[in-house]
Amino acid sequence: MKRPNHSPGATGHMRRPVDDKLAPNHNDHNHDPNEHHHETGEYEGCDHNSNPWETRSLLISGVLVGLGLVGQWTKSLPAIGTEAIFAAAILAGGWMLLPGAWAAVRRLRPNISSLMVIAVVGASVIGEWAEAATVVFLFGVAEWLEGWADRRAQRAVEALLEIAPKTATVKRDGKFTDLPVEDVCVNETVAVKSGMNIPLDGEVLAGESAVNQAPITGESVPVDKRKGDTVFAGTVNGEGSLEIRVTKLAGDTTLARIIRLVKEAQEQKAPTQRFVDVFARYYTPAVTVVALLVFLVPLLLLGGDWSQWLYRACVLLIIACPCALVISTPVSIVAGLTALARRGVLVKGGAHLESIAKLKALAVDKTGTITEGRPQVLDIESLGESSIAEILRVAAAVDVHSSHPLAKAVVEHTTKFGVHFPRAENYVARNGRGAEGVIDGHAYFVGNHRFTHDLGVCSEEIERRLAASEGKGQSVVVVGHRPHGDCVGEVLGIIAIGDTVRANAAGAIRALHAAGIKSVVMLSGDNQRTADFIAKQVGIDEARGDLLPEGKVAAVKALRGKHGVVGMVGDGVNDAPAMASATVGVAMGAAGTDAAIETADIALMKDDLGKIAETVRLGQRTMGIIRFNITFALGLKALFLGLTLSGHASLWLAIIADTGATLLVVANALRLLR
């Protein structure tokens, strides 16, 4: 068992990432801890963690600015008095600017804070105390509100942590005792009363109830749970009472993994965000140079009032401040990732969110994606003297070694009808074809249509029977003697297996097309006739059957060559090579499946193909908001740059425009959290 960490809500390695990463990491470990860093890591400004002392200083600055303006407008105070009040307001609010500005001086790299400090000092030098104080106060307000927006987006993930109970009712020594979840071990039994949150991942041992799994899967309707079913930490038990066998420690629950992965995703920058960071890195020094030229060149070439050109240079510095530009992308990405996590969709980084928004083609696996993934034996045909029971006995003896859905269906059917079977010896899986094994000294095979051709045991009669089943959309399992030595192979029988098409599959495909996906292609290891039958039922554009794993990889690469940005939907394990070949790999039904969560770029916690279209639309909406924010921020800068150079902009207008732009892009990004 991992070393317990008694901080609420998680254990071991889980607690620290959740706690430490819930707020942006503004303190780079290579820098002075007293420095404050802007969210992008490139621009130092106010710390976006709410600091009560800084908040009070900001309030004092605002009050002093108000008093100074009243005194100035009413002439109730002498000029020296109002200037003193404005100077005090600058000092009070200056703590929001000075740490970042000092960092810029130390590194010889201009940043947002240094631009503001230069502008404030310049305005004070030429006697514009009211405007200088207002600049300091409104900049502080903008920074505080940026921090509030950041905390709002981060809080949505932090709320996930709080839904898991801190204690569990554990059965020990025949008695139920309340203990911290960190102290509960795997395989212990916990009791969950009606209306209570389930404390840990587990399997139902006793009782029946409807469980609200919305925090994990995004499902709006409670799911009925009974003995043998899986339940997740943080989900809400309904009217019944449950006893659950714990399957995961507190720090390893599905909920804990979701929180950790979402936090890691929020730290990864999307290409657009990296572009903005690089742009701003060169933009700010360039603006500083331009402001210096605006001040010096007219004086040296034209002469004139130095205070007038210093004023315009200060206005330019404030107008050019890239606050809105820098904050626009990260807040949007965090909000988009968090909104999807609430819906049961894990996106492992802004880069994948941006890619899903550009998706042009989608490859989907058949079994478990388009179909339910719970195939059942529908028919058994004997092609010789073997009885149905003997065919089932041989098939189950080989298939019992496999976890493939078709193999499980055969074993379950054989067990259900009371046919006893051994475990085949010398079992060998033939990837994408079937399997072989030895039973009572004889070599047998169980496989698909392709395998019969590979073994040379297919005939016209067998071909006809297989075609009849495949034409109905059924998968076929051929059972027979494997050619071995002097023994001639033969087919003993055919097992027809059917899988139900998901009820929402056709609607999900229509939604994908409506979201802008040009081509949806089904990739299946099943025969082409079955693949075509299923594809036609749900409206898939193209079906490719008889594919081995390497064939699926080749198909995905071909789609990328044709469409560019391509997604691959699978179970996260069997389809891992094809998912890795796609631009974006999507795992279906990842709740409780560690391998699926770790393998894919995007994990759908519920088996709901409709979530993919929802993810595409939200990704597109996120990128649309980012594009608007960037265009708006740059367009506004260009407009006011012209006004400044022509002498039609003031410090008042500059700071109001800068603050307003910042507030607008933040509010626009937070719409994603609705």
Side-chain angles (χ1 to χ4, degrees), residues 270-272 274 333 347 349-361 517 560 564-567 582-585 601-602 615-616 619-620 623:
T272 302
R274 290 195 294 269
I333 292 292
V347 182
H352 303 309
L353 184 62
E354 188 166 326
S355 294
I356 199 78
K358 299 175 182 176
L359 212 61
K360 298 301 179 186
I517 307 299
R560 289 194 68 174
V565 182
V566 174
T583 314
V584 182
D601 302 315
I602 297 177
T615 304
V616 171
Q620 292 169 343
M623 296 312 300

Side-chain angles (χ1 to χ4, degrees), residues 28 35 46 120 127 181 199 235 240 352 395 406 477 536 543 557 649 656:
D28 191 314
E35 296 173 8
C46 121
V120 168
V181 291
T235 56
H352 303 309
L406 297 184
V477 174
K536 186 176 180 180
K557 288 182 177 178
I656 290 172

